Amino acid sequence: MATTFPDTPAFTGFNEPCRFEGEVYDLVVTGTLPPALAGTFYRCGPDPQWPPLLGDDVRFNGDGMVSMFRFAGGRVDFRSRYVRTEKFVLERAARRALFGAYRNPFTDDPSVRGKIRGTANTHIIPHAGTLLALKEDSPPVALDPDSLETIGNWDFAGKLTSQTFTAHPKIDPATGEMFCFGYAATGISTRDVAYYVIDAQGSIIHEVWFEMPYAAMMHDWVVTQDYVVFPVVPITSDIERTKAGRPAFMWDDRQDVFLGVLPRFGTASDLRWFRGPCRFAAHFMNGWNDGPLVHVDAVAAEGNVFPFFPDVRGAAFDPQKALTYLTRWTIDLAADGDGYTETRLSATPTLPNAHGFMLSADPDKPYAGNKLMFNSVAHHDYARAKTTLAYAGDGCGFQEPVFVPRSPGASEGDGYLVIVRNRLLERASDVVVLDVADLSADPVATIAVPVRLRDAIHGSWVAA
Ligand code: V55
Ligand code: FE
C-alpha cells in the first residue's frame, strides 16, 4: 500500500510532512548579509518519516529532522538530514511505523520492544566538537557538524548512567561547562532525576541523583551563577495511566509547582524544594541569583498550554488560561519556609540580562493562523523599559529566532536575529535577518529557501 498521511491538523497544511533531505548551495539572498554572519544556524524539529502507527499522532512525536544554514562571505549554503536514530533505522528498514504513541512503549509493535524510542527532534547543541541532537526521553545522538551525518548515541565515554537526557542543556559561556539532567532517568514515569556537569572537553565531572516530588515532564530549567533550579510543573505522568492507553503526559491542576534549588556542584543533601501555586511553564527566559535571592524568569500560564496533553479529569482546554506571561519566581534561600514570590514582569532596570528576545503574538496585527501562533518577535530592552515588536508580515509566522552578536566583543543585545519565516498562505519558507538596532524595520537580508521548512522546535547559532 502506498504511503498516505492522515487527514488531520498535525499532518496537513503547513504541517504536511516534508521529509526532504538534501543540500542547496548558495541560496538566493535579497539585501545584504552582514559580515558578522559567519557561522552556522542549526535547527531541529519533528518531521514524521512514516504515517503514524495509530492513525494520528501529536506533533512532538515526529522523527528528528536537522537542518543547517552555513553563512560565510555573504553567502549561505543549506543542508537538511534526518537523524538516524535507532527508531528511524528500524522503521526505514520496515518501510512503516513500528513505534506507537508519544512516550508510550506499550503501544509499540512487539518487534521493537526494549529499543530506544528517542526521535532526536527537540534541540541541537554544539559541545566538545560534536553536535548533539536531543530528545528528553533518550540519550543524545551525536552528529557530524559539517555533513549532519549521524555518529550515534552519545554516552560521554560510557559515563552517562541516566536513560534520558534533557533537550535543554545550558553551556556556561565563561567555562564551557555543560549543565544538564535527565528526568524519568530510570524509566518512564519514574521520579528519578540525574543531574550532571560536563566539562568543555566532554567529560562528566559531577553527578547527583535525586527524586522529584511527583512524576512530571521537566522540559526546561534554569542555571544561575551559583545554583541550578529544577522546576516541577503538573504535566504529570503515571505508568498505570500510560499502560491503560491514556496519554503519557496529562495536565493535573491539583498539584503545586515545586522548584528544586541545588548549588551547581552540590550533592543530593543540599537540594531544597520550594512550593507555589499550580502553573504551566515549559520554557524559561533566564535565571540568576543575587546572593541568596534566586530569580527564575518563566514563560508561565495559569492553565494548560498543551491541549495534546489533556486534563487528567477531562476538563476542557481553556485558551484564556493558556495565555503565557513572562513571570518571575523569586526564592529567598536565607528566609524561613518553603515558599517563593511570583511577579508578572514589568520592565525593571536591575536585571543581569539587559535584553531578552521571544516569539510573540501581536494582537494588533493580522494572524494567518490561530492566535496561539506567533506573528511577531519581541525584543525586551529592560534598561530602557522598552519592547519592540517585529511583525512577520501578512500571511506569515515566525519560528524560533537565534541571536547573532554584531562582533565578537559586541555589548549584550547588539546584533542580529536570524529567523525562519513561514509563508503560510504560499506554504513556503524563507529566512530573514533582522537588525536588533532597528528590529521593526525591514529585514537587512531575506534568504529564499526552495523547500518548505516544517516548524522546528529549537536551534543554535554556532560561530565560525
Ligand atoms: C517539548 C517538545 C517536545 C517534547 C517535550 O516544549 C516538550 C516542548 C518536540 O518534543 O517531547
Ligand atoms: Fe524546549
Side-chain angles (χ1 to χ4, degrees), residues 237-321:
S237 126
D238 173 330
I239 193 151
E240 294 310 323
R241 263 182 357 217
T242 308
K243 276 185 183 162
R246 299 178 78 198
F249 292 90
M250 301 186 86
W251 176 249
D252 186 352
D253 66 8
R254 293 168 297 188
Q255 297 277 16
D256 285 341
V257 167
F258 286 84
L259 303 176
V261 183
L262 179 72
R264 280 186 175 199
F265 287 92
T267 63
S269 60
D270 299 321
L271 181 67
R272 289 179 62 188
W273 289 106
F274 297 85
R275 191 170 185 154
C278 172
R279 295 283 181 269
F280 178 101
H283 289 105
F284 299 87
M285 179 173 275
N286 194 21
W288 77 98
N289 69 286
D290 181 5
L293 285 182
V294 180
H295 303 285
V296 175
D297 286 357
V299 181
E302 234 184 285
N304 186 17
V305 178
F306 288 164
F308 42 85
F309 298 152
D311 186 279
V312 71
R313 288 178 294 167
F317 181 71
D318 181 346
Q320 202 58 35
K321 282 190 173 171

Side-chain angles (χ1 to χ4, degrees), residues 161-164 182-194 209 211:
T161 48
S162 172
Q163 292 179 17
T164 62
Y183 73 92
T186 59
I188 59 164
S189 299
T190 61
R191 289 161 52 208
D192 296 309
V193 180
W209 282 78
E211 284 192 342

Side-chain angles (χ1 to χ4, degrees), residues 77-136:
D77 298 330
F78 170 79
R79 182 187 297 268
S80 66
R81 194 117 172 95
Y82 267 121
V83 184
R84 265 55 183 178
T85 59
E86 288 185 29
K87 171 184 185 291
F88 181 97
V89 170
L90 289 161
E91 294 186 336
R92 168 74 43 115
R95 280 188 173 271
R96 68 178 186 95
L98 299 170
F99 293 79
Y102 179 78
R103 311 284 281 273
N104 188 338
F106 307 106
T107 60
D108 293 346
D109 185 281
S111 66
V112 297
R113 188 165 294 143
K115 301 288 184 192
I116 293 180
R117 305 181 83 253
T119 49
N121 72 5
T122 311
H123 205 343
I124 180 142
I125 295 260
H127 195 64
T130 64
L131 271 180
L132 301 178
L134 302 168
K135 179 73 172 181
E136 65 197 48

Side-chain angles (χ1 to χ4, degrees), residues 122-123 167-168 219-220 282-283 457-458:
T122 311
H123 205 343
H168 282 286
H219 177 67
D220 191 11
H283 289 105
I457 305 285
H458 297 304

Side-chain angles (χ1 to χ4, degrees), residues 389-445:
L389 284 172
Y391 178 53
D394 283 347
C396 294
F398 280 141
Q399 299 192 21
E400 186 182 80
V402 287
F403 175 79
V404 183
R406 196 177 301 277
S407 61
S411 58
E412 185 188 331
D414 181 22
Y416 302 93
L417 296 184
V418 179
I419 318 183
V420 169
R421 177 166 63 177
N422 299 341
R423 307 186 66 87
L424 294 159
L425 304 181
E426 300 146 62
R427 291 196 357 138
S429 304
D430 56 16
V431 179
V432 295
V433 180
L434 303 177
D435 190 333
V436 173
D438 196 2
L439 196 70
S440 57
D442 287 342
V444 296

